[in-house]
Amino acid sequence: MKCPFCGNEDSKVIDSRPTDEGERIRRRRECISCAKRFTTYEIIESVPIIVVKKDKSREAFDRVKLFNGMLRACEKRPVSIDTLEKMVSEIESELSNSLEREVTSVHIGELAMERLKTVDEVAYVRFASVYRQFKDISTFMDELDKLLTERQ
């Protein structure tokens, strides 16, 4: 690490401690050349997840957008905010841990529906109806039939 005082590139770490709930590490360093002390911060470099939408446009993954969509599906349902947060975090983790930097909105929707189906079937059907753009009542009934068949 380059010393901000003399420009020497050799320094030694005197003290390290986590900050920001473990998201960063604060390091106190001492320059080998001039013996002055300075502080550095080490953070994990994150590569953004890019979402490829149905119209082929691209945008950065937005967990708030996913959360709001799932929240609307769970409106007036017995699903806690903590449960929703956990599901969104699981989806975000799964996407971050994959080797793909670009993911389709279709894949994200499928991940959301998988989790909603296990938590609340009504919320699942609501989300699916918007996400899959049910065109008429027969499409809606087909999805309900699939759900009933899986239940048995």
Side-chain angles (χ1 to χ4, degrees):
M1 182 62 61
K2 191 175 185 178
C3 173
F5 304 104
C6 71
N8 187 11
E9 292 189 10
D10 290 328
S11 65
K12 64 181 178 181
V13 176
I14 298 169
D15 180 43
S16 290
R17 56 180 72 164
T19 61
D20 299 337
E21 299 175 8
E23 297 293 320
R24 293 179 175 194
I25 296 177
R26 177 185 179 270
R27 298 197 193 279
R28 280 299 284 163
R29 296 177 176 271
E30 185 177 295
C31 178
I32 301 295
S33 177
C34 68
K36 291 193 178 181
R37 294 184 176 187
F38 57 98
T39 303
T40 61
Y41 291 90
E42 185 177 305
I43 61 168
I44 296 174
E45 182 180 33
S46 62
V47 178
I49 300 165
I50 303 299
V51 179
V52 181
K53 299 174 80 169
K54 289 177 183 175
D55 66 357
K56 303 294 183 220
S57 65
R58 286 169 166 70
E59 65 181 47
F61 173 76
D62 184 357
R63 70 175 279 127
V64 173
K65 194 172 179 180
L66 177 60
F67 178 83
N68 288 338
M70 293 174 77
L71 180 63
R72 272 186 302 246
C74 294
E75 209 167 276
K76 297 184 182 179
R77 299 297 304 156
V79 179
S80 71
I81 296 296
D82 288 341
T83 302
L84 278 173
E85 275 289 342
K86 184 178 176 217
M87 288 189 293
V88 170
S89 292
E90 287 172 1
I91 292 168
E92 186 175 28
S93 280
E94 189 172 327
L95 296 173
S96 295
N97 292 335
S98 76
L99 298 176
E100 300 296 320
R101 289 296 116 213
E102 288 190 346
V103 63
T104 64
S105 59
V106 172
H107 181 62
I108 295 171
E110 294 295 331
L111 293 174
M113 286 189 295
E114 280 175 23
R115 283 159 179 82
L116 284 170
K117 188 186 281 188
T118 62
V119 172
D120 188 282
E121 291 175 339
V122 172
Y124 161 75
V125 172
R126 285 178 178 171
F127 190 89
S129 69
V130 172
Y131 174 73
R132 291 193 176 139
Q133 299 175 337
F134 292 169
K135 291 175 181 34
D136 54 28
I137 194 72
S138 65
T139 316
F140 196 80
M141 288 304 293
D142 290 343
E143 192 64 36
L144 289 175
D145 287 339
K146 279 189 224 168
L147 196 58
L148 290 171
T149 303
E150 287 176 12
R151 192 190 266 184
Q152 296 167 352

